[in-house]
């Protein structure tokens, strides 16, 4: 059932806020125990970016430019420069902050699409801790490598797409199709 009022109005519900806080603390705990499993390739790329090598070259084959897959590295280097922290520390905190943002954006995207707080809560909890893929337990357990950046990007695109669709349907813009 659609709730009255704006599609994405209202404060963040307590359960979603608690889940976001739990995912933040879990990200800190997990990263304190182990380093990213592909940091052996990303740390040298971050070092090259930090020295001004843009677009970065392959750290093991310097005559080859990287044609992609360095978005998170660039984000970490930018924040490292802005904060004065090392790239390792910045990577730690960027990942910890992106994890709860995924949960919050998921709630608002589903809330906007369905018009229901209950649907937003259900989908958020299912996606955050209910989806089991291999040894992972939902989005909050999938924080190694470039996953937090890619997942947050996809969720933001979903949120914006749902907003566009709802505006198109309100304005009867689909009538020509």
């Amino acid at each position: 059932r659609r709730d009255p009022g704006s599609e994405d109005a209202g404060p963040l519900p307590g359960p979603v806020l608690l889940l976001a806080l739990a995912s933040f603390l879990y990200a800190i705990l997990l990263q304190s125990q182990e380093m990213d499993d592909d940091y052996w390739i990303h740390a040298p790329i971050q070092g090259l970016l930090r020295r001004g090598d843009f677009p970065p070259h392959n750290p093991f084959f310097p005559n080859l430019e990287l044609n992609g897959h360095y978005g998170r590295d660039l984000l970490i280097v930018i924040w490292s420069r802005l904060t004065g922290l090392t790239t390792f520390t910045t990577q730690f905190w960027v990942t910890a902050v992106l994890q709860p943002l995924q949960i919050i954006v998921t709630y608002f995207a589903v809330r906007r699409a369905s018009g229901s707080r209950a649907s937003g809560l259900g989908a958020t909890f299912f996606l955050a801790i209910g989806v089991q893929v291999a040894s992972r337990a939902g989005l909050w357990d999938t924080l190694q490598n470039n996953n937090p950046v890619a997942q947050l990007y996809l969720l933001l695109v979903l949120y914006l797409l749902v907003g566009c669709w709802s505006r198109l349907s309100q304005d009867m813009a689909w009538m020509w199709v």
Side-chain angles (χ1 to χ4, degrees), residues 64-153:
L64 298 175
E65 276 188 11
L66 292 177
N67 293 320
H69 195 72
Y70 57 83
R72 176 177 165 232
D73 299 326
L74 188 58
L75 175 71
I76 289 169
V77 167
I78 288 170
W79 279 107
S80 174
R81 282 254 170 120
L82 290 173
T83 61
L85 299 171
T86 67
T87 53
F88 294 105
T89 305
T90 305
Q91 179 269 331
F92 181 94
W93 288 110
V94 164
T95 301
V97 168
L98 291 180
Q99 287 301 105
L101 286 177
Q102 292 177 41
I103 290 169
I104 292 167
V105 171
T106 300
Y107 169 76
F108 282 116
V110 176
R111 165 81 171 91
R112 176 181 253 189
S114 67
S116 166
R117 285 186 181 92
S119 295
L121 284 169
T124 301
F125 274 83
F126 178 72
L127 193 60
I129 58 178
V131 177
Q132 300 290 319
V133 179
S135 63
R136 309 274 186 191
L139 281 181
W140 84 337
D141 194 33
T142 310
L143 56 100
Q144 282 82 16
N145 311 328
N146 293 322
N147 288 324
V149 173
Q151 290 163 175
L152 184 60
Y153 177 76

Side-chain angles (χ1 to χ4, degrees), residues 21-34 92-97 99-100 140 143:
L21 177 63
S23 74
F24 175 74
L25 296 174
Y26 183 73
I28 289 173
L29 175 70
L30 194 64
Q31 291 186 98
S32 297
Q33 295 176 355
E34 59 188 39
F92 181 94
W93 288 110
V94 164
T95 301
V97 168
Q99 287 301 105
W140 84 337
L143 56 100

Side-chain angles (χ1 to χ4, degrees), residues 28-48:
I28 289 173
L29 175 70
L30 194 64
Q31 291 186 98
S32 297
Q33 295 176 355
E34 59 188 39
M35 184 66 89
D36 273 1
D37 56 7
D38 71 343
Y39 218 67
W40 63 274
I41 183 69
H42 289 285
I45 294 170
Q46 290 169 11
L48 290 171

